[in-house]
Amino acid sequence: MQRKRRKSFDIGFYVLVLLALVLAYYALYGVNNGTSVTYAEAKQLFVQERVETFQVSGSTLTMSVRDSSVSSGRITAKCQLYSVELFYDDLGGLIDQQYRDGIITDYDLDPPYEPPWWSSILLYVVLIAALFLFWQFMVARAQGGGMDKGMKFGKARLRFGSEKDKKVTLRDVAGADEEKEELAEIVRF
């Protein structure tokens, strides 16, 4: 009995998690409420004077298009733009003329992205820091040491314990045949 109740709880839990994921997806991305058109089709809609309102948000062009085939008389069409500046350069004159004539009733263009003021300063700071580190590296190499050679200047090398304890005797190397041969070669030389 206890086992059956546990199994139904597990299935219910997974169904709730799945439902929460689906709701989160629709909350973040929304329902696709418009037909997707290519840039050429969007341009043709402007030339045919069928666009009533439009909005450019990010790189997405959302248009309210007059269409007599649907009961409401309008459909929503979306188009992904490569560049908002290119879009406005291409159709800016036509859009302004249609807005003055009353064909386009309303439009909204998001301002282009402008980086924060400190980002240009940050670039120079990183460049100066890189040049300083490169200079430090080259000076250290010219002095015959590594990067930390200057940091070790003036530090004493301390030796702990006495030198008597560290002496090596012949018994320590008694079985080292290779070392004996090398020493014999040095004596012969």
Side-chain angles (χ1 to χ4, degrees), residues 70-112:
V70 294
S71 61
S72 66
R74 283 189 209 114
I75 61 169
T76 302
K78 292 185 178 187
C79 176
Q80 287 296 96
L81 299 175
Y82 174 72
S83 168
V84 176
E85 291 82 17
L86 184 65
F87 165 74
Y88 196 73
D89 287 344
D90 199 18
L91 296 173
L94 181 64
I95 290 170
D96 291 338
Q97 181 63 39
Q98 288 182 0
Y99 185 72
R100 280 193 297 269
D101 294 344
I103 297 167
I104 295 176
T105 58
D106 189 27
Y107 66 92
D108 186 25
L109 295 171
D110 286 347

Side-chain angles (χ1 to χ4, degrees), residues 6 95 147 169:
R6 173 92 173 138
I95 290 170
M147 286 291 288
T169 63

Side-chain angles (χ1 to χ4, degrees), residues 128-165:
I128 290 170
L131 287 173
F132 178 74
L133 289 174
F134 179 71
W135 177 73
Q136 285 287 334
F137 178 74
M138 294 306 287
V139 166
R141 298 272 295 187
Q143 292 176 353
M147 286 291 288
D148 60 346
K149 197 76 159 178
M151 296 296 198
K152 291 182 180 177
F153 180 76
K155 291 188 177 179
R157 295 184 187 177
L158 300 176
R159 296 182 188 186
F160 296 106
S162 65
E163 292 292 319
K164 291 185 270 180
D165 297 339

